Amino acid sequence: MVSNALHDLWFGFGVAFQGSNLMWSFVGVLVGNLIGVLPGMGALSAISVLLPITYVLHPVPAILMLAGIFYGSQYGGAIGAILLNLPSHPPHAVTCLDGYPMTRAGKGGTALGITMISSFFAASVGILVMIFASPLLTTIAFKFGPAEIFSIMLLGLLAGSTMSRGSPLKGVAMTLFGLLCGMVGTDVNTGTFRFAMGIPELSDGLELVAIAMGLFGVADFLLNVNRMSAVTSSKTKLRVRDMRPSLSELKTAFWPMVRGTGVGTLFGAMPGTGPTITTFVAYALERKISKTPQKFGTGMIAGVASPEASSHSKTQVDFIPTMSLGIPGDAVMALILGALMIQGITPGPQLISEHPDIFWGLIASFWIGNVLLMILNVPLIGVWVKMLQVPYRYLFPSAMFFIVVGVFSTQNSLFGIWEVLAFGVIGAVLLYLEFSVAPILLGFVLGPMIEENFRRSLLLSRGDLTVFLQRPISCTFMIVSALLLIGVTWSAWRNSAAKNASFEVPESDIAVSE
């Protein structure tokens, strides 16, 4: 099996290194990297614009270009999140939590360096998983029905609600607010128009990009609108070598990187789960097992390494259900699936045997593309870091312009811009009141999928709620969710009891005073 996989991989490198294939792969990663830096202009917009080009290309270079845009934008998206607190793509919203504080502390170059290393490591592991574990992961994916998907989504929701700083109750409240936002629009089962206040533009629900841009980018701008200085002092010398983390920082990032890669690989094998869920779960896991969870959100390396690693491993492994089952993991994968069908190629179990040049050429191009991204970003990092020298009064209005353009391009509607403004004001108020806004995004993403799979499970079981405990995988996730909920409740009660005890006046002090 191993020898066959290596032989096929060698064949794939032969395909990927062909002149036209290599050129279009380079075009894809370059465009993806540049598009990823612009707020709102994500891989979905770029692939949508360039999709017509695939009509005149051979299937192999067409797919290599689209895949390059996809994982190239993941690299670029982290740059805006770390340097400007602007998540160009929703998965990078978690990176803002610790990446931007590192930038404010003068460690922006280090955060970018950790991101590059984590991304390359995770992508390499994801590629190896695609090569050697595709049949196994495909078999596992078939075992996940509505009950299993609901259980694992519930676990991710509970884990995410506890990652906010401060009171766990505030985290739960923000998650519930996100769930309510996710219910806006047309009910997929009944077609009912709900929670839309009679606004026709909300028939398809709230826009994910608009919520992410508003809660993180615009909210930060509104809170710091009177700040006229640069993000960091203009006297600070930021060089390309600043992105090279120290040995101690690499040691700190190693295990979070490994755990994030594992989370991304697990979620990548399951169809229907997007990268946003993956990064939230990876971040929540790191915060849960950390000895200093209260420091998350202040510039922790683990808070950057783990979600970025999970995002990139998920990006690579996402191609397994898309190519082998024909089930896309998210909207971008659906576009790539459409590009295959445009070429007359039907994704499915027979793809590997019928079109080995596409499958193995794509896998080989992942490694080539990630190496190209490393080479591209070494000189470009200096450009990104120098953005910190631009005064705030110029930098953020420019970012606001790109936010408007990016959000408008997703739906070609001005209504999305009003959504950004509304959630920007809401985010600014919540941040001022010391609420964490990250759980809102998690609740919004997971809410519709949790509801859909919950209702589907009850339909299949004819209303029997024990269906979630009858299936082994679902039962395991439900038990873990219950233990997590008990642990959070116990921790909150213990902290509250300790705080009340510290305010009690000792009897000896009362006696002395009398």
Side-chain angles (χ1 to χ4, degrees), residues 4 41 56 177 197 209 211 292 296 360 370 408 455 494:
N4 290 337
M41 300 291 289
V56 297
F177 178 65
M197 297 172 289
V209 175
I211 294 177
T292 56
F296 274 74
W360 292 105
N370 278 282
F408 179 80
R455 294 167 71 174
R494 187 176 58 182

Side-chain angles (χ1 to χ4, degrees), residues 126-134 316-317 319-320 359 363 366:
I127 296 167
L128 290 173
V129 169
M130 282 194 70
I131 296 171
F132 298 108
S134 292
Q316 305 299 334
V317 181
F319 282 88
I320 294 176
F359 184 82
I363 289 179
F366 288 153

Side-chain angles (χ1 to χ4, degrees), residues 343-407:
Q343 299 287 346
I345 299 169
T346 303
Q350 302 301 318
L351 177 67
I352 300 177
S353 58
E354 294 179 356
H355 302 280
D357 54 340
I358 292 180
F359 184 82
W360 292 105
L362 181 65
I363 289 179
S365 75
F366 288 153
W367 253 318
I368 297 171
N370 278 282
V371 171
L372 288 173
L373 281 168
M374 293 281 285
I375 296 172
L376 279 172
N377 275 283
V378 167
L380 288 178
I381 284 294
V383 177
W384 310 136
V385 174
K386 284 188 179 297
M387 291 174 63
L388 296 175
Q389 306 296 339
V390 179
Y392 191 93
R393 62 182 179 273
Y394 301 130
L395 187 62
F396 266 68
S398 302
M400 295 288 287
F401 169 77
F402 286 113
I403 288 175
V404 170
V405 172
V407 172

Side-chain angles (χ1 to χ4, degrees), residues 4-312:
N4 290 337
L6 293 176
H7 179 270
D8 292 334
L9 181 62
W10 182 256
F11 167 74
F13 273 109
V15 173
F17 273 117
Q18 292 177 8
S20 61
N21 295 342
L22 185 62
M23 181 192 73
W24 285 108
S25 181
F26 175 78
V27 169
V29 296
L30 178 62
V31 171
N33 198 25
L34 295 177
I35 288 293
V37 178
L38 302 177
M41 300 291 289
L44 190 62
S45 302
I47 292 177
S48 300
V49 171
L50 296 177
L51 192 61
I53 297 178
T54 61
Y55 283 95
V56 297
L57 290 178
H58 188 271
V60 176
I63 299 305
L64 296 192
M65 180 191 68
L66 296 181
I69 293 173
F70 185 30
Y71 57 81
S73 65
Q74 298 293 323
Y75 269 81
I79 295 170
I82 291 172
L83 298 185
L84 301 174
N85 200 34
L86 290 172
S88 298
H89 319 303
H92 297 293
V94 179
T95 309
C96 294
L97 300 181
D98 283 280
Y100 188 59
M102 287 184 70
T103 296
R104 298 287 297 272
K107 290 282 188 178
T110 301
L112 291 173
I114 291 291
T115 296
M116 287 183 60
I117 295 170
S118 301
S119 302
F120 186 77
F121 171 81
S124 298
V125 173
I127 296 167
L128 290 173
V129 169
M130 282 194 70
I131 296 171
F132 298 108
S134 292
L136 175 62
L137 290 177
T138 301
T139 303
I140 294 174
F142 273 122
K143 294 184 180 296
F144 275 78
E148 286 79 11
I149 294 177
F150 167 79
S151 301
I152 195 170
M153 296 291 175
L154 179 63
L155 176 60
L157 192 68
L158 291 174
S161 65
T162 62
M163 75 179 178
S164 58
R165 299 179 62 197
S167 169
L169 187 60
K170 289 184 176 180
V172 173
M174 293 297 95
T175 304
L176 291 175
F177 178 65
L179 288 172
L180 290 174
C181 292
M183 295 175 67
V184 174
T186 304
D187 184 1
V188 294
N189 290 326
T190 64
T192 305
F193 196 45
R194 59 184 188 179
F195 303 112
M197 297 172 289
I199 302 174
E201 288 84 356
L202 290 178
S203 59
D204 292 331
L206 296 168
E207 184 62 37
L208 178 60
V209 175
I211 294 177
M213 291 291 124
L215 291 178
F216 291 91
V218 178
D220 184 76
F221 174 77
L222 292 176
L223 286 178
N224 298 280
V225 68
N226 292 322
R227 178 152 57 89
M228 293 299 165
S229 60
V231 178
T232 60
S233 173
S234 59
K235 296 180 181 179
T236 304
K237 292 184 179 180
L238 297 172
R239 296 152 295 187
V240 175
R241 67 177 179 220
D242 291 336
M243 61 174 279
R244 290 184 294 194
S246 64
L247 185 60
S248 62
E249 289 169 335
L250 284 175
K251 289 181 179 179
T252 303
F254 178 74
W255 285 113
M257 200 176 359
V258 172
R259 287 187 288 267
T261 302
V263 171
T265 302
L266 174 64
F267 277 83
M270 293 185 295
T273 58
T276 306
I277 304 167
T278 311
T279 54
F280 273 93
V281 172
Y283 187 90
L285 175 64
E286 286 305 314
R287 190 176 185 275
K288 205 67 186 173
I289 65 177
S290 174
K291 296 179 179 178
T292 56
Q294 70 278 3
K295 291 186 178 180
F296 274 74
T298 62
M300 293 285 283
I301 290 177
V304 174
S306 183
E308 285 300 314
S310 69
S311 174
H312 283 264

